[in-house]
Amino acid sequence: MSRPLTLALTKGRILKETLPLLARAGIEPLEDVSASRKLVFETSWPGLQLVIIRGTDVPTYVRHGAADLGVVGKDILLEQGAEGLYEPLDLNIARCRLMTAGPVGWQSGGARVRVATKFVNIARRHFARQGVHAEVIKLYGAMELAPMMDLADLIVDIVDTGNTLRANGMEPMEEIAAISSRLVVNKAAMRAQHGPIQKVVNAIAAAVADEAA
């Protein structure tokens, strides 16, 4: 008997939007994931199990074949790269923008800028394209604090409503990328188990199309 397919899901906000989408595709966990401490769940789709992990780990699990498919934000794919992965579907959920932001009225003082972000690679590429030398400072949260404490001039971060920026005297500036959750597939698994994986992809694609209609 062949091993089950594994679909890695991103915990948190993306999970809350992913589960209803998967349900419309006929894929439902057999128990309430929000009430369980388990990380692996059997599903209503024969031969498919779910694992629920941190978003930053999803591409790693899929790339190395520990999971066959995954749901992950485009921001993480842009930051980590998509080597070894197919990206067949934009799921059109968890939509937001990856932007630069700074104190209201901020003006550049020259060709050098200090930037706080957890998206180090994206930030470096963005400012390099503009011919700006960026000193990129890696942080893991509360980006808005960095300019307030003079740790950085600007930040690169995910912006949804912009309310947190405004509450801290900041404003969005440039959009780097429109972000949403994507379905990714391990390239080797797609070749080895093309039929079963394609059925899952097709079912999710149909659910996405129905939602958009």
Side-chain angles (χ1 to χ4, degrees):
M1 183 176 178
S2 61
R3 70 173 180 84
L5 294 177
T6 299
L7 171 58
L9 303 183
T10 296
K11 63 171 61 176
R13 172 196 170 191
I14 292 180
L15 181 64
K16 292 178 181 178
E17 296 189 39
T18 302
L19 290 176
L21 175 63
L22 293 181
R24 292 194 297 273
I27 303 168
E28 297 185 83
L30 297 183
E31 57 188 287
D32 183 357
V33 300
S34 65
S36 174
R37 299 181 69 87
K38 291 171 60 176
L39 299 175
V40 181
F41 298 90
E42 301 302 316
T43 74
S44 58
W45 187 286
L48 178 68
Q49 64 182 7
L50 306 177
V51 297
I52 299 175
I53 55 180
R54 291 175 61 92
T56 49
D57 291 335
V58 169
T60 303
Y61 272 75
V62 178
R63 183 178 294 114
H64 290 277
D68 304 287
L69 310 95
V71 172
V72 65
K74 183 64 175 178
D75 53 321
I76 293 173
L77 295 174
L78 290 171
E79 176 66 15
Q80 295 187 6
E83 181 183 355
L85 305 175
Y86 289 122
E87 188 185 314
L89 281 179
D90 182 345
L91 301 179
N92 289 317
I93 58 174
R95 302 182 68 85
C96 51
R97 296 173 295 164
L98 183 62
M99 303 191 72
T100 62
V104 173
W106 181 85
Q107 297 290 326
S108 174
R112 184 182 182 90
V113 64
R114 299 170 301 159
V115 181
T117 185
K118 66 178 178 179
F119 302 105
V120 172
N121 295 322
I122 295 172
R124 285 181 178 142
R125 290 195 300 266
H126 173 74
F127 286 101
R129 283 194 299 267
Q130 297 187 332
V132 175
H133 178 75
E135 178 189 351
V136 180
I137 302 164
K138 177 144 190 174
L139 294 179
Y140 294 91
M143 298 301 161
E144 297 82 6
L145 186 61
M148 294 171 62
M149 303 301 294
D150 197 31
L151 176 64
D153 304 303
L154 303 176
I155 67 172
V156 169
D157 203 9
I158 294 294
V159 176
D160 187 5
T161 64
N163 290 339
T164 303
L165 290 175
R166 287 188 289 272
N168 289 282
M170 299 182 67
E171 60 185 355
M173 297 169 63
E174 294 179 278
E175 180 175 313
I176 298 175
I179 302 300
S180 57
S181 293
R182 310 299 170 99
L183 182 70
V184 294
V185 182
N186 175 278
K187 287 184 175 181
M190 190 64 167
R191 291 190 295 269
Q193 300 194 71
H194 182 269
I197 289 177
Q198 193 61 54
K199 286 181 182 178
V200 173
V201 172
N202 290 345
I204 296 174
V208 172
D210 287 346
E211 182 70 10

